[in-house]
Amino acid sequence: MTDAIDLLFSAHLQHVQALADRALEREGYDGLVVYSGRPGLHFLDDHGPAFKANPHFLHWAPLQEAPDCFVRYLPGRRPQLVFHQPADYWHKPPTVPTAAWTREFDLTVIREPADARGLLDAGNRRLACIGEPPAEFAEWGFSATNPAGLLAYLHYDRAAKTPYELACMREASRLGAVGHVAAAAAYRAGASEFEVHQAYCSAVGLREQELPYGNIIAFGEGAAILHYTTLGRRRDVPRPTFLIDAGAQFRGYASDITRTHVADAAGTDPTFLELMAAMEKLQLELCAAVQPGFDYREIHLLAHRLIAGALVQAGVVTGCTAEQAAENGVSGVFFPHGIGHLLGIQVHDVAGLAADDSGRTEIPRPTGHRYLRLTRRLEPGVVVTIEPGLYFIDLLLDEAQQNGLGRYIAWDVVRRLQPYGGIRIEDDVACTASGTPENLTRDAFARIA
Ligand code: GLY
Ligand code: MN
Ligand code: MN
């Protein structure tokens, strides 16, 4: 059966091929072999971490659970998919794909990885291999493995998505939104963090290892830990707030979504509610700045000014203006991460700092903003996250007390708000040619409402 996304795949693959054509020509190779990868083992164990396919392989073929597979591409020819289906009675061998997208490839099934060697046949061609090659590939005649110039070219272009990729990300966003709604219901029903996580996975229909990143599910003070993935098992813990940063994936493409909830508005400190409302408003303002030609660093700096404004307005920061708080480092005490990043096959997608496709130069981060992952100008098709945050983090508050910034902080207010942990709101936003951004996340929540 062909669905709407399949209809877009062919044009996507043509784009990937054209990209490979240019990259191979520039770097002086005759062809490309993209290896899906092989699962590893834990130290001294016969079990290993969940398999994660090479993102370059996923760019060509939506096969997330297919180790030891290859795409071989020679410019001007149909791409070849070498699919490894071992004769194995211990595990279920991967099913040979038959979906509509496979019609774009010449597909060959092999039983042993070594059988690929003859099919990939470097001969006297200069083939570049991309992936984590096992030792035996050294004998296979590839001219280079992961050559930096080739990777830089391919990575740079991955920022702007094809219509197929955007369709996959819309679906990943829909799945994520479904999970968020189920998780919020579980929280309200009294579930533990771990149980909320289970409710999320069930609703999304993905195993934990199929999620694009470990779910961050935090009650109260846990929300002040940026990557809190502990998943407490107890229900009888303080739970005045619930921060959930959880995504989903579809055909290898990710969503990355954060929402913050309060248990009971009537019982919540009005200053915290005021900050919640301010964050919601400023997050939307930042999403609206996702426009072609816009320097993403400016969005990050704007976020600092707006969050500083919210902190001053709520009386958390005193003795300076919002502008001063954004300049002197006080906003960074409460908002210590970047405003977002590129999103795609990888949650923190590649080449966020690249000045161009050569891989030789990076666009610097603004001074003092070392965690910003994206410094490029936006262009149509690029998908970014917009994730302003505001937290009460002991470590950073202690630092502020030491370094003099503490004089701008209303400590009585901070101490009152610390049990709430913090606030983060994160949407996935596509930059469009029209200038009106497409908010994949908000659209997804609206669609399932
Ligand atoms: N979920 C990780 C991030 O928001 O970047
Ligand atoms: Mn993110
Ligand atoms: Mn996130």
Side-chain angles (χ1 to χ4, degrees), residues 259-282:
R259 289 293 182 268
T260 309
H261 307 264
V262 296
D264 152 38
T268 303
D269 189 303
T271 305
F272 191 76
L273 291 179
E274 182 186 339
L275 288 172
M276 287 273 290
M279 289 295 279
E280 173 72 9
K281 182 165 175 278
L282 70 86

Side-chain angles (χ1 to χ4, degrees), residues 274-275 306-323 325:
E274 182 186 339
L275 288 172
L306 294 174
I307 292 170
L311 289 165
V312 169
Q313 183 68 30
V316 178
V317 167
T318 60
C320 64
T321 65
E323 284 292 325

Side-chain angles (χ1 to χ4, degrees), residues 213 216 245-246 256-258 341 387 424 426:
Y213 56 92
I216 296 165
D245 181 345
D256 179 7
I257 303 171
T258 308
H341 47 85
E387 48 182 305
R424 180 162 68 253
E426 177 176 26

Side-chain angles (χ1 to χ4, degrees), residues 311-367:
L311 289 165
V312 169
Q313 183 68 30
V316 178
V317 167
T318 60
C320 64
T321 65
E323 284 292 325
Q324 287 163 338
E327 284 298 316
N328 65 17
V330 182
S331 60
V333 175
F334 299 93
F335 172 43
H337 57 74
I339 188 58
H341 47 85
L342 291 171
L343 181 71
I345 297 172
Q346 284 154 285
V347 174
H348 299 149
D349 221 357
V350 285
L353 307 184
D356 56 36
D357 58 27
S358 73
R360 281 192 286 271
T361 339
E362 289 194 339
I363 304 170
R365 300 176 175 93
T367 308

